Amino acid sequence: MLQSLPVINQPLDHPLLDEKGIELAIKRLDLVHPELSGNKFFKLKYNLEKAALDGFEKVLTFGGAFSNHIYASAAGAKAQNLSAIGIIRGERIDPLNATLSYAESLGMDLHFVDRAIYRLKKEPSFIKSLSEKFGAFYLIPEGGTNGLAIKGTAEILQPDDKKYSHIATSIGTGGTFAGIYTSLVSSQKLLGFSALKGDFIRKEIDDLLKDFELSGLGSFEIFSQFHFGGYAKYDQQLIEFIWWFYESFGIILDPIYTGKMLSGIWQLIDQDYFPKGSKILVIHSGGLQGNIGFTERTGIKLPSLSA
């Protein structure tokens, strides 16, 4: 099984926190593994273990051209001595961006399909056609969310984390949110920050909890207003916040998930959403490899691991 490095909770010190009587710490999942960082480590570890135990030699999954999941799946498969196939939405454009170039360098076999075909990724007939083309494979869904992923993300919180009153995480496909929810104690509230525009995410989370028969002792709330225009959208305010956060605390954020979440948390603190005495633990879900690709696409420089 994949082995993680020790995960630290990094406390933040800032006048606003002192003024509001708030404790805020970041769980640095971005440091959990040299290549397979963030929540992806937890979402993939049991899936990759099962693939090997069930005798599969290859895994297949789906993602976009800048997908953290594709990047992590390539690294995880290589670490487990498995072959990997990535079904990528869109046309191949050479030279490949940093995300896909990295995945291919690790041996992932990239296959590009148009958006109409990509939308069939959950259809049994399409999966069967992939099996006929590539042979037997272990299927990992787009974003990695399934029962084994939730089992993994339920391990993100540690016994010492029971002291926190609020746990905050970004929401994409919902697997990390669902896993953390099952591991709350009764005094804790989970805050989910959707990276997607629209209130549909609440129903998706409810369906996810129902489909996998998940329950928790704590409570939760989902915020859908901090998306900055929608998935992968951004504005100058978000870019400035990410730079401010890095310069203030030395922690790199990404513009898809963690930057939007922390911006939302900072606004909620300023607006007195959190009662005085609250202790907030924010899950840093990694995804920092995407900052290089963001700069490639937009020309806007962000703090990055290569800086």
Side-chain angles (χ1 to χ4, degrees):
M1 183 184 294
L2 294 168
Q3 297 298 314
S4 69
L5 298 171
V7 176
I8 63 168
N9 292 343
Q10 180 176 336
L12 303 189
D13 183 20
H14 189 272
L16 178 65
L17 302 176
D18 295 336
E19 174 191 338
K20 302 295 185 179
I22 300 292
E23 292 183 28
L24 179 63
I26 311 293
K27 183 174 282 292
R28 298 294 304 274
L29 296 191
D30 55 313
L31 305 176
V32 72
H33 189 275
E35 289 85 30
L36 183 55
S37 77
N39 61 330
K40 299 302 183 185
F41 176 92
F42 295 89
K43 295 177 81 171
L44 286 170
K45 70 172 187 174
Y46 287 118
N47 275 289
L48 294 172
E49 179 186 50
K50 181 170 175 55
L53 288 174
D54 288 353
F56 288 95
E57 296 181 352
K58 65 183 75 168
V59 298
L60 181 144
T61 194
F62 304 85
F66 295 89
S67 167
N68 290 328
H69 173 67
I70 289 293
Y71 185 100
S73 295
K78 183 175 179 61
Q80 293 295 89
N81 296 314
L82 295 167
S83 299
I85 300 166
I87 307 300
I88 310 301
R89 181 181 64 247
E91 297 180 359
R92 183 182 181 107
I93 300 176
D94 289 309
L96 294 173
N97 65 49
T99 298
L100 296 181
S101 177
Y102 175 81
E104 195 168 71
S105 75
L106 293 183
M108 177 175 270
D109 190 5
L110 302 179
H111 289 266
F112 295 78
V113 299
D114 65 38
R115 292 177 180 272
I117 293 175
Y118 189 84
R119 284 194 289 270
L120 303 175
K121 59 185 178 291
K122 295 182 181 179
E123 296 296 325
S125 59
F126 181 53
I127 300 302
K128 181 181 178 182
S129 72
L130 293 174
S131 297
E132 293 170 350
K133 181 173 184 176
F134 299 115
F137 55 77
Y138 180 87
L139 178 65
I140 301 175
E142 181 184 41
T145 291
N146 58 15
L148 290 176
I150 292 170
K151 176 183 177 182
T153 57
E155 298 176 357
I156 288 175
L157 295 185
Q158 299 298 304
D160 288 347
D161 297 334
K162 293 177 181 177
K163 68 182 181 181
Y164 294 98
S165 58
H166 297 79
I167 311 295
T169 187
S170 301
I171 300 178
T173 56
T176 301
F177 182 92
I180 293 174
Y181 175 62
T182 66
S183 60
L184 297 179
V185 297
S186 59
S187 60
Q188 291 179 313
K189 184 174 186 179
L190 177 60
L191 308 178
F193 290 79
S194 177
L196 300 97
K197 185 177 182 179
D199 291 332
F200 66 91
I201 193 65
R202 292 177 171 84
K203 182 180 186 303
E204 291 202 352
I205 292 296
D206 287 341
D207 290 345
L208 190 64
L209 297 177
K210 181 180 179 181
D211 291 346
F212 289 99
E213 299 180 342
L214 304 174
S215 61
L217 299 176
S219 60
F220 71 81
E221 183 173 356
I222 296 173
F223 297 94
S224 57
Q225 69 267 45
F226 300 112
H227 52 71
F228 285 83
Y231 185 74
K233 303 294 185 181
Y234 65 93
D235 63 18
Q236 186 60 30
Q237 179 185 353
L238 177 62
I239 302 303
E240 291 176 358
F241 177 84
I242 289 171
W243 274 108
W244 171 82
F245 198 87
Y246 175 66
E247 291 163 354
S248 298
F249 307 113
I251 299 174
I252 302 174
L253 304 176
D254 78 285
I256 311 300
Y257 295 106
T258 56
K260 294 180 178 182
M261 171 182 59
L262 262 302
S263 176
I265 289 170
W266 213 256
Q267 291 178 57
L268 291 175
I269 291 172
D270 188 50
Q271 295 164 5
D272 297 316
Y273 169 87
F274 297 98
K276 187 174 183 179
S278 294
K279 298 181 179 181
I280 309 165
L281 180 64
V282 178
I283 309 300
H284 193 311
S285 56
L288 300 180
Q289 64 84 21
N291 284 15
I292 297 173
F294 178 86
T295 297
E296 289 177 353
R297 292 198 309 280
T298 66
I300 299 172
K301 182 173 175 54
L302 288 177
S304 71
L305 298 175
S306 64

